[in-house]
Amino acid sequence: MNFQYIQITLIISVVLMFVILVFFVVKQILAYQKKRDEQENRERTQITFVVDTFHDLMSSPRHS
């Protein structure tokens, strides 16, 4: 009888540890993806600035 409680406690502990491990792995993956997306957005913003500046310079009237 006492052995059954030990088995159940052990199984619940292992399952709980697995769930916690999965939670932290998923959290790390999402944080990595967010950081990567922010970096890509920053790069896109810089490229857009350069392209817009180029277009503004090319479309402005030239002074001789």
Side-chain angles (χ1 to χ4, degrees):
M1 189 86 159
N2 197 11
F3 186 66
Q4 283 181 327
Y5 291 128
I6 294 173
Q7 279 183 320
I8 291 171
T9 304
L10 183 61
I11 290 171
I12 290 173
S13 298
V14 169
V15 168
L16 185 59
M17 288 172 51
F18 179 74
V19 168
I20 291 171
L21 178 67
V22 168
F23 171 76
F24 283 114
V25 168
V26 168
K27 185 177 174 184
Q28 291 297 320
I29 290 171
L30 292 176
Y32 171 75
Q33 287 178 341
K34 182 179 178 183
K35 188 175 182 179
R36 188 187 67 204
D37 290 345
E38 288 173 353
Q39 179 66 26
E40 287 177 0
N41 189 29
R42 190 176 308 120
E43 289 173 1
R44 249 186 256 123
T45 303
Q46 292 172 351
I47 292 172
T48 302
F49 172 76
V50 170
V51 170
D52 288 344
T53 303
F54 176 77
H55 285 299
D56 289 343
L57 288 172
M58 295 307 291
S59 66
S60 65
R62 297 184 183 183
H63 299 284
S64 300

